[in-house]
Amino acid sequence: WVTMSDKEFGLTDAEIAETKLDLEQIQELKEVFDMFDTDGGGSIDKDELQTVLVAMGVRPSEEELDRMLKQADADNSGTIEFVEFCKLMAPKLAQGCDVDEATLKEIYATIDTDNSAGISFEELSQALETICADLKEEERLTAPELQKLMNLADKDGDGVISYKEFSFMLS
């Protein structure tokens, strides 16, 4: 008999029960957590949180970063551990995704202009340029920020964002 806490998640059975998440949800959260935990240290610090948010096009102020970290950091360690991340995200998972599968596929097909079943850096850049045309220059993603976003989404490192990677990032 193998319990979820015996897996690589590092959660006790009590912590798992407290989150009210199933194994699949915990696995999804672990993948997201690992994207944020860029140094592989097992926790998300303020710099890692800022890096990922900026790569996603969000430019939080120092105060906003501090507030986000404080909200999630139940043990006041200054970092967000995986169990804290699960507790923070559990209510969001319960709400579900507002975008249905057909809409996601349509969006993906629109961005994948060469129909290669993979969104390249150039295609992502062009799509965001179109979407963000009305934004001020300082509000737009820079090329390095866009590359970070691409790297976060491209989980298998093949240089393109597959539909699976795309839908995972948006869910």
Side-chain angles (χ1 to χ4, degrees), residues 9-167:
F9 307 124
L11 301 177
T12 66
D13 287 334
E15 289 170 332
I16 291 168
E18 187 179 341
T19 66
K20 299 181 176 131
L21 298 170
D22 63 30
L23 179 59
E24 185 177 326
Q25 291 170 314
I26 291 173
Q27 287 173 323
E28 287 176 10
L29 286 179
K30 180 65 173 151
E31 289 180 32
V32 172
F33 182 84
D34 288 346
M35 285 191 297
F36 278 82
D37 181 19
T38 56
D39 68 1
S43 62
I44 300 168
D45 64 24
K46 185 176 175 179
D47 290 337
E48 290 169 320
L49 182 60
Q50 181 177 31
T51 296
V52 173
L53 291 172
V54 167
M56 295 170 63
V58 178
R59 291 179 175 29
S61 67
E62 285 294 315
E63 296 78 26
E64 290 169 322
L65 275 173
D66 290 338
R67 188 173 50 251
M68 287 179 204
L69 195 60
K70 186 176 179 181
Q71 176 188 3
D73 183 21
D75 66 359
N76 295 316
S77 65
T79 61
I80 303 169
E81 287 76 30
F82 182 58
V83 67
E84 294 168 329
F85 187 73
C86 285
K87 290 175 185 175
L88 177 70
M89 297 305 293
K92 293 171 182 19
L93 285 179
Q95 293 172 355
C97 183
D98 292 340
V99 180
D100 63 30
E101 187 78 10
T103 303
L104 274 179
K105 286 182 179 182
E106 187 178 320
I107 294 168
Y108 184 82
T110 301
I111 298 171
D112 181 21
T113 56
D114 64 4
N115 299 313
S116 64
I119 297 172
S120 67
F121 178 84
E122 291 76 21
E123 289 171 320
L124 182 61
S125 178
Q126 182 61 43
L128 289 176
E129 188 176 308
T130 301
I131 292 167
C132 301
D134 294 335
L135 293 179
K136 297 177 197 165
E137 188 65 33
E138 64 270 10
E139 294 174 328
R140 296 181 187 183
L141 287 177
T142 64
E145 291 169 343
L146 184 58
Q147 187 61 58
K148 284 182 183 179
L149 178 60
M150 182 79 183
N151 294 344
L152 285 172
D154 181 20
K155 296 183 66 61
D156 63 9
D158 65 356
V160 295
I161 302 171
S162 68
Y163 176 73
K164 181 179 177 185
E165 292 165 334
F166 180 77
S167 62

